[in-house]
Amino acid sequence: MAASAFGQCNLLPRTASVNPQKSHRQLYSLSFHRQSVNSSPPALSFTQSIGFGSAIERHCVDRNESDLFKTDAVRQLNGSVISAKGHRFAIVVARFNDLITKKLLEGALETFNNYSVREEDIDVVWVPGCFEIGVTAQLLGKSQKYQAILCIGAVIRGDTSHYDAVVNAATSGVLSAGLNSGTPCIFGVLTCDTLEQAFNRVGGKSGNKGSETALTAIEMASLFEHHLKPSE
């Protein structure tokens, strides 16, 4: 049976020298004690001084180790990025803005090679633009041939609202593809205001986002394959 507890709070005047020309406020000492009925020493002691130029003192002692939050029994599931050997991946690439998307693809392929993914285990599917990525990724995911699908594209803001429409469609399309197929679909579509921003993200000062997309795909493939795969 859990031990009951009680608390006591006292507000007492505190003697302190204060310059009367600067302040006429009286300092108080606020004390709170919480103690278990079954234990003689206090479980929690808290003292706070309130007033002009006051300091706060806190003292917390817990002698009951059974009250500590323990995580030894919590099972934690993680994907591995040590090696992706044996996993198959599909990469859906938008042809529009191919000056950018080709570099994203190169970054993804280089990363796959570094993580022991064989070339024959990678299928690259080209689509006209970012709007067509979602439906293509969903069909590839439903085929159950791949452990993850990479979705690569680039949308550069122009003078019209077309940018917002394409970005929203690409984002929701990739999300729906993963949810409907049960296969991780990784969002690797750049959404930039300028062409310069895009080039910075395909090997410039911001790195290559295609490579980051591939790393995400490797981790999610491992997580699903080893921990979240439905039992047959």
Side-chain angles (χ1 to χ4, degrees), residues 128-148:
C130 291
F131 198 89
E132 293 76 29
I133 289 177
V135 63
T136 307
Q138 180 170 305
L139 289 176
L140 291 170
K142 286 185 175 181
S143 71
Q144 302 298 312
K145 295 180 180 179
Y146 310 98
Q147 274 67 52

Side-chain angles (χ1 to χ4, degrees), residues 160-183:
T160 67
S161 60
H162 182 71
Y163 169 88
D164 297 314
V166 175
V167 169
N168 291 336
T171 304
S172 59
V174 173
L175 174 62
S176 297
L179 294 175
N180 294 332
S181 68
T183 300

Side-chain angles (χ1 to χ4, degrees), residues 7-197:
Q8 180 180 355
C9 180
N10 299 319
L11 183 62
L12 302 174
R14 180 183 177 189
T15 303
S17 60
V18 180
N19 191 338
Q21 296 179 353
K22 293 184 178 181
S23 173
H24 297 285
R25 297 175 60 186
Q26 186 176 12
L27 301 182
Y28 290 90
S29 178
L30 176 63
S31 298
F32 176 79
H33 300 278
R34 178 181 180 273
Q35 182 173 344
S36 173
V37 172
N38 294 338
S39 60
S40 55
L44 176 66
S45 176
F46 178 84
T47 301
Q48 179 175 0
S49 299
I50 305 174
F52 180 80
S54 63
I56 297 177
E57 301 174 357
R58 289 186 176 89
H59 177 62
C60 180
V61 178
D62 190 346
R63 293 184 174 86
N64 190 353
E65 295 182 357
S66 62
D67 292 339
L68 297 177
F69 180 74
K70 299 180 179 180
T71 60
D72 294 344
V74 177
R75 185 185 180 202
Q76 300 189 32
L77 308 180
N78 294 289
S80 172
V81 291
I82 297 177
S83 175
K85 186 176 181 179
H87 289 169
R88 296 196 64 193
F89 299 92
I91 308 177
V92 183
V93 189
R95 191 177 295 109
F96 194 78
N97 286 328
D98 62 349
L99 287 176
I100 303 299
T101 60
K102 285 181 179 179
K103 293 184 179 295
L104 291 171
L105 175 60
E106 291 173 1
L109 293 175
E110 182 179 356
T111 298
F112 278 145
N113 180 67
N114 293 337
Y115 283 82
S116 304
V117 181
R118 301 179 304 174
E119 291 184 357
E120 53 266 34
D121 289 332
I122 304 171
D123 290 334
V124 178
V125 181
W126 290 89
V127 296
C130 291
F131 198 89
E132 293 76 29
I133 289 177
V135 63
T136 307
Q138 180 170 305
L139 289 176
L140 291 170
K142 286 185 175 181
S143 71
Q144 302 298 312
K145 295 180 180 179
Y146 310 98
Q147 274 67 52
I149 314 293
L150 282 69
C151 301
I152 289 178
V155 187
I156 312 297
R157 186 182 293 276
D159 296 329
T160 67
S161 60
H162 182 71
Y163 169 88
D164 297 314
V166 175
V167 169
N168 291 336
T171 304
S172 59
V174 173
L175 174 62
S176 297
L179 294 175
N180 294 332
S181 68
T183 300
C185 293
I186 315 303
F187 188 80
V189 178
L190 294 183
T191 56
C192 303
D193 290 329
T194 64
L195 192 61
E196 180 183 3
Q197 290 179 353

